[in-house]
Coordinates of all heavy atoms in Angstrom, one line a residue:
D68 N 8.6 1.1 35.6 CA 9.6 2.1 35.3 C 8.9 3.5 35.4 O 7.9 3.8 34.8 CB 10.1 1.9 33.9 CG 11.3 2.7 33.5 OD1 11.8 3.5 34.3 OD2 11.8 2.6 32.4
S69 N 9.6 4.4 36.1 CA 9.0 5.8 36.3 C 9.1 6.6 35.0 O 8.4 7.6 35.0 CB 9.7 6.4 37.4 OG 11.1 6.6 37.1
K70 N 9.9 6.2 34.0 CA 10.0 7.0 32.8 C 8.9 6.8 31.8 O 8.7 7.5 30.9 CB 11.3 6.7 32.1 CG 12.5 7.2 32.9 CD 13.8 7.0 32.2 CE 15.0 7.4 33.0 NZ 16.2 7.2 32.3
M71 N 8.1 5.7 32.1 CA 7.0 5.4 31.1 C 5.8 6.4 31.4 O 5.5 6.7 32.5 CB 6.5 4.0 31.3 CG 7.5 2.9 30.9 SD 6.9 1.3 31.1 CE 5.6 1.3 29.9
S72 N 5.3 6.8 30.3 CA 4.1 7.8 30.4 C 2.9 7.0 30.7 O 2.8 5.8 30.5 CB 3.9 8.5 29.1 OG 3.5 7.6 28.1
G73 N 1.9 7.7 31.2 CA 0.7 7.1 31.6 C -0.1 6.4 30.4 O -0.7 5.4 30.5
S74 N 0.1 7.1 29.2 CA -0.6 6.6 28.1 C 0.0 5.3 27.6 O -0.7 4.4 27.0 CB -0.6 7.6 26.9 OG 0.7 7.8 26.5
A75 N 1.3 5.0 27.8 CA 1.9 3.8 27.4 C 1.3 2.6 28.2 O 1.3 1.5 27.7 CB 3.4 3.9 27.6
N76 N 0.9 2.9 29.4 CA 0.4 1.8 30.3 C -1.0 1.4 29.9 O -1.5 0.4 30.3 CB 0.4 2.2 31.7 CG 1.8 2.3 32.2 OD1 2.7 1.6 31.8 ND2 2.1 3.2 33.2
K77 N -1.7 2.3 29.1 CA -3.1 2.0 28.8 C -3.3 1.3 27.5 O -4.4 1.0 27.1 CB -3.8 3.4 28.6 CG -3.9 4.1 29.9 CD -4.7 5.4 29.7 CE -4.6 6.2 31.0 NZ -5.3 7.6 30.8
R78 N -2.2 0.9 26.8 CA -2.3 0.2 25.6 C -2.8 -1.3 25.8 O -2.4 -1.9 26.8 CB -0.9 0.1 24.9 CG -0.5 1.5 24.4 CD 0.8 1.3 23.6 NE 1.3 2.7 23.3 CZ 2.5 2.9 22.9 NH1 3.4 2.0 22.8 NH2 2.9 4.1 22.6
T79 N -3.6 -1.8 24.9 CA -4.0 -3.1 25.0 C -3.7 -3.9 23.8 O -3.5 -3.3 22.7 CB -5.6 -3.2 25.2 OG1 -6.2 -2.6 24.1 CG2 -6.0 -2.6 26.5
A80 N -3.5 -5.2 23.9 CA -3.2 -6.0 22.7 C -4.4 -6.1 21.8 O -5.6 -6.0 22.3 CB -2.8 -7.4 23.2
P81 N -4.2 -6.2 20.5 CA -5.3 -6.3 19.5 C -6.2 -7.5 19.9 O -5.7 -8.5 20.3 CB -4.6 -6.5 18.2 CG -3.2 -6.0 18.4 CD -2.9 -6.2 19.8
G82 N -7.5 -7.3 19.9 CA -8.4 -8.4 20.2 C -8.6 -8.5 21.7 O -9.3 -9.4 22.2
A83 N -8.1 -7.6 22.5 CA -8.2 -7.7 24.0 C -9.4 -6.8 24.5 O -9.4 -6.3 25.6 CB -6.9 -7.3 24.7
G84 N -10.4 -6.6 23.6 CA -11.5 -5.8 24.0 C -11.5 -4.4 23.6 O -12.5 -3.7 23.6
A85 N -10.4 -3.8 23.2 CA -10.3 -2.5 22.8 C -10.6 -2.4 21.3 O -10.1 -3.2 20.5 CB -8.9 -1.9 23.0
A86 N -11.5 -1.5 20.9 CA -11.8 -1.3 19.5 C -10.7 -0.6 18.8 O -10.2 0.4 19.2 CB -13.1 -0.5 19.4
P87 N -10.2 -1.3 17.7 CA -9.1 -0.6 17.0 C -9.6 0.6 16.3 O -10.7 0.7 15.8 CB -8.6 -1.7 16.0 CG -9.8 -2.6 15.8 CD -10.6 -2.5 17.1
S88 N -8.7 1.6 16.3 CA -9.1 2.9 15.6 C -8.1 3.1 14.4 O -6.9 2.8 14.6 CB -9.2 4.0 16.5 OG -7.9 4.3 17.1
L89 N -8.6 3.6 13.4 CA -7.7 4.0 12.2 C -7.6 5.5 12.1 O -8.5 6.2 12.4 CB -8.4 3.5 10.9 CG -8.5 2.0 10.8 CD1 -9.3 1.6 9.5 CD2 -7.1 1.3 10.7
R90 N -6.4 5.9 11.8 CA -6.1 7.3 11.6 C -6.8 7.7 10.3 O -7.0 6.9 9.4 CB -4.6 7.6 11.5 CG -3.9 7.3 12.8 CD -2.5 7.7 12.9 NE -1.9 8.0 11.6 CZ -0.6 7.8 11.3 NH1 0.2 7.3 12.2 NH2 -0.1 8.1 10.1
L91 N -7.1 9.0 10.2 CA -7.7 9.6 9.0 C -6.9 9.3 7.8 O -7.4 9.0 6.7 CB -8.0 11.1 9.2 CG -8.6 11.8 8.1 CD1 -10.0 11.2 7.8 CD2 -8.8 13.3 8.4
E92 N -5.6 9.4 7.9 CA -4.6 9.1 6.8 C -4.8 7.7 6.3 O -4.8 7.5 5.1 CB -3.2 9.3 7.3 CG -2.2 9.1 6.2 CD -0.8 9.3 6.8 OE1 -0.3 10.5 6.9 OE2 -0.2 8.3 7.2
A93 N -5.0 6.7 7.2 CA -5.2 5.3 6.7 C -6.5 5.2 6.0 O -6.6 4.5 5.0 CB -5.1 4.4 7.9
I94 N -7.6 5.8 6.5 CA -8.9 5.7 5.9 C -8.8 6.3 4.5 O -9.4 5.8 3.5 CB -9.9 6.3 6.8 CG1 -10.1 5.5 8.1 CG2 -11.3 6.4 6.1 CD1 -11.0 6.1 9.1
A95 N -8.2 7.5 4.4 CA -8.1 8.2 3.1 C -7.3 7.4 2.1 O -7.7 7.2 1.0 CB -7.5 9.6 3.3
S96 N -6.2 6.8 2.6 CA -5.4 6.0 1.7 C -6.1 4.7 1.2 O -6.1 4.4 0.0 CB -4.1 5.5 2.4 OG -3.3 6.6 2.7
M97 N -6.9 4.1 2.1 CA -7.6 2.9 1.7 C -8.8 3.3 0.7 O -9.1 2.6 -0.2 CB -8.2 2.2 2.9 CG -7.1 1.5 3.7 SD -7.7 0.4 5.0 CE -8.2 1.6 6.2
T98 N -9.4 4.4 0.9 CA -10.4 4.9 0.1 C -9.9 5.2 -1.3 O -10.5 4.8 -2.4 CB -11.1 6.2 0.6 OG1 -11.6 5.9 1.9 CG2 -12.2 6.7 -0.3
L99 N -8.8 5.9 -1.4 CA -8.2 6.2 -2.7 C -7.7 4.9 -3.4 O -7.9 4.8 -4.6 CB -7.0 7.1 -2.5 CG -7.3 8.6 -2.1 CD1 -6.1 9.4 -1.8 CD2 -8.1 9.2 -3.2
L100 N -7.2 3.9 -2.7 CA -6.8 2.7 -3.3 C -8.0 1.9 -3.8 O -7.9 1.4 -4.9 CB -6.1 1.8 -2.2 CG -5.6 0.5 -2.7 CD1 -4.6 0.7 -3.9 CD2 -4.9 -0.3 -1.6
A101 N -9.1 1.9 -3.1 CA -10.3 1.3 -3.6 C -10.8 1.9 -4.8 O -11.3 1.3 -5.8 CB -11.4 1.3 -2.5
L102 N -10.8 3.3 -4.9 CA -11.2 4.0 -6.1 C -10.3 3.6 -7.3 O -10.8 3.4 -8.4 CB -11.2 5.5 -5.8 CG -12.4 6.0 -5.0 CD1 -12.1 7.5 -4.7 CD2 -13.7 5.9 -5.8
Q103 N -9.0 3.6 -7.0 CA -8.1 3.3 -8.1 C -8.3 1.9 -8.6 O -8.3 1.6 -9.8 CB -6.7 3.5 -7.6 CG -5.6 3.2 -8.7 CD -5.1 1.8 -8.7 OE1 -5.1 1.1 -7.7 NE2 -4.8 1.3 -9.8
F104 N -8.5 1.0 -7.7 CA -8.7 -0.4 -8.0 C -10.0 -0.6 -8.8 O -10.0 -1.4 -9.8 CB -8.7 -1.3 -6.7 CG -8.8 -2.7 -6.9 CD1 -7.6 -3.4 -7.2 CD2 -9.9 -3.4 -6.8 CE1 -7.6 -4.8 -7.4 CE2 -10.0 -4.8 -7.0 CZ -8.8 -5.5 -7.3
G105 N -11.0 0.1 -8.5 CA -12.3 -0.1 -9.2 C -12.3 0.6 -10.5 O -12.9 0.2 -11.5
M106 N -11.6 1.8 -10.6 CA -11.7 2.6 -11.9 C -10.6 2.2 -12.9 O -10.8 2.4 -14.1 CB -11.5 4.1 -11.5 CG -12.7 4.6 -10.8 SD -12.4 6.3 -10.2 CE -12.2 7.1 -11.8
Q107 N -9.5 1.6 -12.5 CA -8.4 1.3 -13.4 C -8.8 0.4 -14.6 O -8.5 0.8 -15.7 CB -7.3 0.6 -12.7 CG -6.1 0.4 -13.5 CD -4.9 -0.2 -12.8 OE1 -4.9 -0.2 -11.6 NE2 -3.9 -0.6 -13.5
P108 N -9.6 -0.7 -14.4 CA -10.0 -1.4 -15.6 C -10.8 -0.7 -16.6 O -10.6 -0.8 -17.8 CB -10.7 -2.6 -15.0 CG -10.3 -2.7 -13.6 CD -10.0 -1.3 -13.2
A109 N -11.8 0.1 -16.1 CA -12.6 0.9 -17.0 C -11.9 1.9 -17.7 O -12.0 2.1 -19.0 CB -13.8 1.5 -16.2
L110 N -11.0 2.6 -17.0 CA -10.2 3.7 -17.7 C -9.2 3.1 -18.7 O -9.0 3.7 -19.7 CB -9.4 4.5 -16.6 CG -10.3 5.3 -15.7 CD1 -9.5 6.0 -14.6 CD2 -11.0 6.4 -16.5
T111 N -8.7 1.9 -18.4 CA -7.7 1.3 -19.3 C -8.5 0.9 -20.6 O -7.9 1.1 -21.7 CB -7.1 0.1 -18.6 OG1 -6.4 0.4 -17.5 CG2 -6.1 -0.7 -19.6
R112 N -9.7 0.3 -20.4 CA -10.4 0.0 -21.6 C -10.8 1.2 -22.4 O -10.7 1.2 -23.7 CB -11.7 -0.8 -21.2 CG -11.6 -2.3 -21.1 CD -12.9 -3.0 -21.0 NE -13.7 -2.5 -19.8 CZ -13.6 -2.9 -18.6 NH1 -12.7 -3.8 -18.3 NH2 -14.4 -2.4 -17.6
Q113 N -11.2 2.3 -21.8 CA -11.7 3.4 -22.5 C -10.6 4.2 -23.2 O -10.8 4.7 -24.3 CB -12.4 4.4 -21.5 CG -13.0 5.6 -22.2 CD -13.9 6.4 -21.2 OE1 -14.1 6.0 -20.1 NE2 -14.3 7.6 -21.7
Y114 N -9.4 4.3 -22.6 CA -8.4 5.2 -23.1 C -7.2 4.5 -23.8 O -6.3 5.1 -24.2 CB -7.9 6.1 -22.0 CG -8.9 7.1 -21.5 CD1 -9.6 6.9 -20.3 CD2 -9.3 8.2 -22.3 CE1 -10.5 7.8 -19.9 CE2 -10.3 9.1 -21.9 CZ -10.9 8.9 -20.7 OH -11.9 9.7 -20.3
T115 N -7.3 3.1 -23.9 CA -6.3 2.4 -24.5 C -6.8 2.0 -25.9 O -7.8 1.4 -26.0 CB -5.9 1.1 -23.8 OG1 -5.5 1.5 -22.4 CG2 -4.7 0.4 -24.4
P116 N -6.0 2.4 -27.0 CA -6.5 2.0 -28.3 C -6.5 0.5 -28.5 O -5.7 -0.2 -27.8 CB -5.4 2.6 -29.2 CG -4.7 3.6 -28.4 CD -4.8 3.2 -27.0
P117 N -7.4 0.0 -29.3 CA -7.5 -1.5 -29.4 C -6.3 -2.2 -30.0 O -6.1 -3.3 -29.8 CB -8.7 -1.6 -30.5 CG -9.4 -0.3 -30.5 CD -8.4 0.7 -30.1
T118 N -5.4 -1.4 -30.7 CA -4.2 -2.0 -31.2 C -3.1 -2.1 -30.2 O -2.1 -2.8 -30.5 CB -3.7 -1.1 -32.4 OG1 -3.5 0.2 -31.9 CG2 -4.7 -1.1 -33.5
T119 N -3.3 -1.5 -29.0 CA -2.2 -1.6 -28.0 C -2.4 -2.9 -27.2 O -3.5 -3.3 -26.9 CB -2.4 -0.4 -27.0 OG1 -2.3 0.8 -27.8 CG2 -1.3 -0.4 -26.0
C120 N -1.2 -3.4 -26.9 CA -1.2 -4.7 -26.1 C -1.6 -4.3 -24.7 O -0.8 -3.6 -24.0 CB 0.2 -5.3 -26.2 SG 0.3 -6.8 -25.2
R121 N -2.8 -4.7 -24.3 CA -3.3 -4.3 -22.9 C -2.5 -4.9 -21.8 O -2.3 -4.3 -20.8 CB -4.8 -4.7 -22.8 CG -5.6 -3.9 -23.8 CD -7.0 -3.6 -23.3 NE -7.6 -2.7 -24.2 CZ -8.9 -2.8 -24.6 NH1 -9.6 -3.8 -24.1 NH2 -9.4 -2.0 -25.4
S122 N -1.9 -6.1 -22.0 CA -1.1 -6.6 -20.9 C 0.1 -5.8 -20.7 O 0.6 -5.6 -19.5 CB -0.7 -8.1 -21.2 OG 0.0 -8.2 -22.4
A123 N 0.7 -5.2 -21.7 CA 1.8 -4.3 -21.6 C 1.4 -3.1 -20.8 O 2.2 -2.6 -20.0 CB 2.4 -4.0 -22.9
V124 N 0.2 -2.6 -21.1 CA -0.2 -1.4 -20.4 C -0.4 -1.7 -18.9 O 0.0 -0.9 -18.0 CB -1.6 -0.9 -21.0 CG1 -2.2 0.2 -20.2 CG2 -1.3 -0.4 -22.4
I125 N -1.0 -2.9 -18.6 CA -1.2 -3.2 -17.2 C 0.1 -3.4 -16.5 O 0.3 -3.0 -15.3 CB -2.1 -4.5 -17.2 CG1 -3.5 -4.2 -17.6 CG2 -2.2 -5.1 -15.7 CD1 -4.4 -5.4 -17.9
I126 N 1.1 -4.1 -17.1 CA 2.4 -4.3 -16.5 C 3.0 -2.9 -16.2 O 3.6 -2.7 -15.2 CB 3.3 -5.2 -17.3 CG1 2.7 -6.6 -17.3 CG2 4.7 -5.1 -16.9 CD1 3.4 -7.6 -18.2
T127 N 2.9 -2.0 -17.2 CA 3.5 -0.7 -17.0 C 2.8 0.1 -15.9 O 3.5 0.7 -15.0 CB 3.3 0.1 -18.3 OG1 4.0 -0.5 -19.4 CG2 3.9 1.5 -18.2
Q128 N 1.5 -0.1 -15.8 CA 0.8 0.6 -14.7 C 1.2 0.0 -13.3 O 1.5 0.8 -12.4 CB -0.7 0.4 -14.8 CG -1.4 1.1 -15.9 CD -2.8 0.7 -16.2 OE1 -3.2 -0.4 -15.8 NE2 -3.6 1.6 -16.8
E129 N 1.4 -1.3 -13.2 CA 1.8 -1.9 -12.0 C 3.3 -1.5 -11.6 O 3.6 -1.2 -10.5 CB 1.7 -3.4 -12.1 CG 0.3 -3.9 -12.2 CD -0.6 -3.4 -11.1 OE1 -0.2 -3.5 -9.9 OE2 -1.8 -3.0 -11.4
C130 N 4.1 -1.4 -12.6 CA 5.5 -0.9 -12.4 C 5.5 0.5 -11.9 O 6.3 0.9 -11.0 CB 6.3 -1.0 -13.6 SG 6.7 -2.7 -14.0
V131 N 4.7 1.4 -12.5 CA 4.6 2.8 -12.0 C 4.1 2.9 -10.6 O 4.6 3.6 -9.8 CB 3.7 3.6 -13.0 CG1 3.4 5.0 -12.4 CG2 4.4 3.8 -14.3
K132 N 3.1 2.1 -10.3 CA 2.6 2.0 -8.9 C 3.6 1.6 -7.9 O 3.8 2.1 -6.8 CB 1.3 1.1 -8.8 CG 0.1 1.7 -9.4 CD -1.2 1.0 -9.0 CE -1.2 -0.4 -9.6 NZ -2.5 -1.1 -9.3
F133 N 4.4 0.6 -8.3 CA 5.5 0.1 -7.5 C 6.6 1.2 -7.2 O 7.0 1.4 -6.1 CB 6.2 -1.1 -8.1 CG 7.4 -1.6 -7.4 CD1 7.2 -2.4 -6.2 CD2 8.6 -1.4 -7.8 CE1 8.2 -2.9 -5.5 CE2 9.7 -1.9 -7.0 CZ 9.5 -2.6 -5.9
V134 N 6.9 1.9 -8.3 CA 7.9 3.0 -8.1 C 7.4 4.1 -7.2 O 8.1 4.6 -6.4 CB 8.3 3.6 -9.5 CG1 9.1 4.9 -9.4 CG2 9.1 2.5 -10.3
I135 N 6.1 4.5 -7.4 CA 5.5 5.5 -6.6 C 5.5 5.0 -5.1 O 5.7 5.8 -4.2 CB 4.1 5.8 -7.1 CG1 4.1 6.6 -8.4 CG2 3.3 6.7 -6.0 CD1 2.8 6.7 -9.1
A136 N 5.1 3.7 -4.9 CA 5.1 3.2 -3.5 C 6.5 3.3 -2.9 O 6.6 3.7 -1.7 CB 4.6 1.8 -3.5
I137 N 7.5 2.9 -3.6 CA 8.9 3.0 -3.1 C 9.3 4.4 -2.8 O 9.9 4.7 -1.7 CB 9.9 2.3 -4.1 CG1 9.6 0.8 -4.2 CG2 11.3 2.6 -3.7 CD1 9.9 0.0 -2.9
F138 N 8.9 5.3 -3.7 CA 9.2 6.7 -3.5 C 8.5 7.2 -2.2 O 9.1 7.9 -1.4 CB 8.8 7.6 -4.7 CG 8.9 9.0 -4.5 CD1 10.1 9.7 -4.5 CD2 7.7 9.8 -4.2 CE1 10.2 11.1 -4.2 CE2 7.8 11.1 -4.0 CZ 9.0 11.8 -4.0
M139 N 7.2 6.9 -2.0 CA 6.5 7.4 -0.9 C 7.0 6.8 0.4 O 7.2 7.5 1.4 CB 5.0 7.0 -1.0 CG 4.3 7.7 -2.2 SD 4.3 9.5 -2.1 CE 3.2 9.7 -0.7
L140 N 7.4 5.5 0.4 CA 8.0 4.9 1.6 C 9.3 5.6 1.9 O 9.7 5.9 3.1 CB 8.2 3.4 1.4 CG 6.9 2.6 1.6 CD1 7.2 1.1 1.1 CD2 6.5 2.6 3.0
S141 N 10.1 5.8 0.9 CA 11.4 6.4 1.1 C 11.3 7.9 1.6 O 12.0 8.3 2.5 CB 12.2 6.4 -0.3 OG 13.5 7.0 -0.1
S142 N 10.4 8.6 1.0 CA 10.3 10.0 1.4 C 9.7 10.2 2.8 O 9.9 11.2 3.5 CB 9.4 10.8 0.4 OG 8.1 10.3 0.4
S143 N 8.9 9.2 3.3 CA 8.4 9.2 4.6 C 9.3 8.6 5.6 O 9.0 8.6 6.8 CB 7.0 8.6 4.7 OG 7.2 7.2 4.5
G144 N 10.5 8.0 5.2 CA 11.4 7.4 6.1 C 11.0 6.0 6.5 O 11.5 5.5 7.5
Q145 N 10.0 5.4 5.8 CA 9.5 4.1 6.2 C 10.0 3.0 5.4 O 9.6 1.8 5.6 CB 8.0 4.1 6.2 CG 7.4 5.1 7.2 CD 7.7 4.6 8.6 OE1 7.6 3.5 9.0 NE2 8.1 5.6 9.4
L146 N 10.9 3.3 4.4 CA 11.3 2.2 3.5 C 12.2 1.2 4.2 O 11.9 0.0 4.2 CB 12.1 2.8 2.3 CG 12.6 1.8 1.3 CD1 11.5 1.0 0.7 CD2 13.5 2.5 0.2
K147 N 13.2 1.6 4.9 CA 14.0 0.6 5.6 C 13.3 -0.2 6.7 O 13.4 -1.4 6.7 CB 15.2 1.4 6.2 CG 16.3 0.4 6.8 CD 17.5 1.1 7.2 CE 18.5 0.1 7.7 NZ 19.8 0.8 8.2
P148 N 12.5 0.5 7.6 CA 11.7 -0.3 8.5 C 10.7 -1.3 7.9 O 10.5 -2.4 8.4 CB 10.9 0.7 9.3 CG 11.7 2.0 9.2 CD 12.3 1.9 7.8
S149 N 10.2 -0.9 6.7 CA 9.2 -1.8 6.0 C 9.9 -3.0 5.5 O 9.3 -4.0 5.3 CB 8.6 -1.0 4.9 OG 7.8 0.1 5.4
L150 N 11.2 -2.9 5.1 CA 11.9 -4.0 4.5 C 12.6 -4.9 5.5 O 13.1 -5.9 5.1 CB 12.8 -3.5 3.4 CG 12.2 -2.8 2.2 CD1 13.2 -2.3 1.2 CD2 11.2 -3.8 1.5
E151 N 12.7 -4.4 6.7 CA 13.4 -5.2 7.7 C 12.7 -6.6 7.9 O 11.5 -6.6 8.2 CB 13.5 -4.5 9.1 CG 14.5 -3.3 9.0 CD 14.6 -2.5 10.3 OE1 13.9 -2.8 11.2 OE2 15.4 -1.6 10.3
G152 N 13.5 -7.6 7.8 CA 12.9 -8.9 8.0 C 12.1 -9.5 6.9 O 11.5 -10.5 7.0
W153 N 12.1 -8.7 5.8 CA 11.4 -9.2 4.6 C 12.1 -10.2 3.8 O 13.3 -10.2 3.6 CB 11.1 -8.0 3.6 CG 10.3 -8.3 2.4 CD1 9.0 -8.2 2.3 CD2 10.8 -8.7 1.2 NE1 8.6 -8.6 1.1 CE2 9.7 -8.9 0.3 CE3 12.1 -9.0 0.6 CZ2 9.8 -9.4 -1.0 CZ3 12.2 -9.4 -0.7 CH2 11.1 -9.6 -1.5
T154 N 11.4 -11.3 3.5 CA 12.0 -12.4 2.7 C 11.0 -12.8 1.6 O 9.8 -12.6 1.8 CB 12.4 -13.6 3.5 OG1 11.2 -14.2 4.0 CG2 13.4 -13.3 4.6
V155 N 11.5 -13.4 0.6 CA 10.6 -13.8 -0.5 C 9.6 -14.9 0.0 O 8.5 -14.9 -0.3 CB 11.4 -14.4 -1.7 CG1 10.4 -15.0 -2.8 CG2 12.2 -13.2 -2.4
S156 N 10.2 -15.8 0.9 CA 9.3 -16.9 1.4 C 8.2 -16.3 2.3 O 7.1 -16.8 2.2 CB 10.1 -17.9 2.2 OG 10.8 -17.3 3.3
K157 N 8.5 -15.3 3.1 CA 7.4 -14.6 3.9 C 6.4 -13.9 3.0 O 5.2 -14.0 3.2 CB 8.0 -13.6 4.8 CG 8.7 -14.1 6.0 CD 9.2 -13.0 6.9 CE 10.0 -13.6 8.1 NZ 10.5 -12.5 9.0
W158 N 6.9 -13.3 1.9 CA 6.0 -12.6 1.0 C 5.1 -13.6 0.3 O 3.9 -13.4 0.2 CB 6.9 -11.9 0.0 CG 6.1 -11.3 -1.2 CD1 5.2 -10.3 -1.1 CD2 6.1 -11.8 -2.5 NE1 4.7 -10.1 -2.4 CE2 5.2 -10.9 -3.3 CE3 6.8 -12.7 -3.2 CZ2 5.0 -11.1 -4.6 CZ3 6.6 -12.9 -4.6 CH2 5.7 -12.1 -5.2
L159 N 5.6 -14.8 -0.1 CA 4.8 -15.8 -0.8 C 3.8 -16.4 0.2 O 2.7 -16.7 -0.2 CB 5.7 -16.9 -1.4 CG 6.5 -16.5 -2.6 CD1 7.5 -17.5 -3.0 CD2 5.6 -16.1 -3.7
T160 N 4.2 -16.6 1.5 CA 3.3 -17.1 2.5 C 2.1 -16.2 2.7 O 1.0 -16.6 2.8 CB 4.1 -17.3 3.8 OG1 5.1 -18.2 3.6 CG2 3.1 -17.9 4.9
I161 N 2.4 -14.9 2.8 CA 1.4 -13.9 3.0 C 0.5 -13.7 1.8 O -0.7 -13.6 1.9 CB 2.0 -12.5 3.4 CG1 2.6 -12.7 4.8 CG2 0.9 -11.4 3.5 CD1 3.5 -11.5 5.2
A162 N 1.1 -13.8 0.6 CA 0.3 -13.6 -0.6 C -0.6 -14.8 -0.8 O -1.7 -14.7 -1.3 CB 1.3 -13.5 -1.8

C-alpha cells in the first residue's frame, strides 16, 4: 500500500531479534511504582497508630490507588481501550 509510511514497514514482532525499547515515561512510572511498593509497608508501620486496624488502612490505600489509576486512565483517554475485551476470567487467568 502506497499510503504506508516507511517506518511502519520497519516494525518487527516482539522476540524477532529487535531489542525492545521502553519510553522514558514507562521507566519513570515503573521506578515510582517500585519505590511506592517498597516504602509503603515501612511508612504504614511508622505513621499508623498501634490502635488502628492496619488491614483497614491497607484496604483504604489500595482503594485510593485504584481510584487514582482509573482517574489517570480516564484523563489520558486510555480507560475505554484498556477495558475493551476485559473479563473477570481473563483477569483471574493473568493474576
Side-chain angles (χ1 to χ4, degrees):
D68 190 0
S69 62
K70 293 182 181 181
M71 291 182 68
S72 67
S74 63
N76 293 330
K77 294 180 185 177
R78 292 184 187 164
T79 58
S88 61
L89 294 174
R90 294 187 347 212
L91 181 60
E92 181 181 275
I94 293 170
S96 295
M97 288 187 287
T98 302
L99 290 172
L100 182 60
L102 285 171
Q103 182 270 326
F104 187 79
M106 292 175 60
Q107 183 175 351
L110 292 172
T111 300
R112 271 192 304 278
Q113 184 173 351
Y114 293 106
T115 304
T118 58
T119 303
C120 178
R121 294 215 173 134
S122 60
V124 171
I125 292 169
I126 290 171
T127 302
Q128 290 172 339
E129 295 303 317
C130 289
V131 168
K132 286 193 291 187
F133 178 77
V134 169
I135 291 171
I137 295 295
F138 172 76
M139 295 299 290
L140 282 170
S141 180
S142 66
S143 68
Q145 295 298 314
L146 181 60
K147 189 173 181 179
S149 296
L150 295 177
E151 286 178 359
W153 183 88
T154 63
V155 173
S156 62
K157 284 183 185 179
W158 172 68
L159 290 173
T160 301
I161 291 170

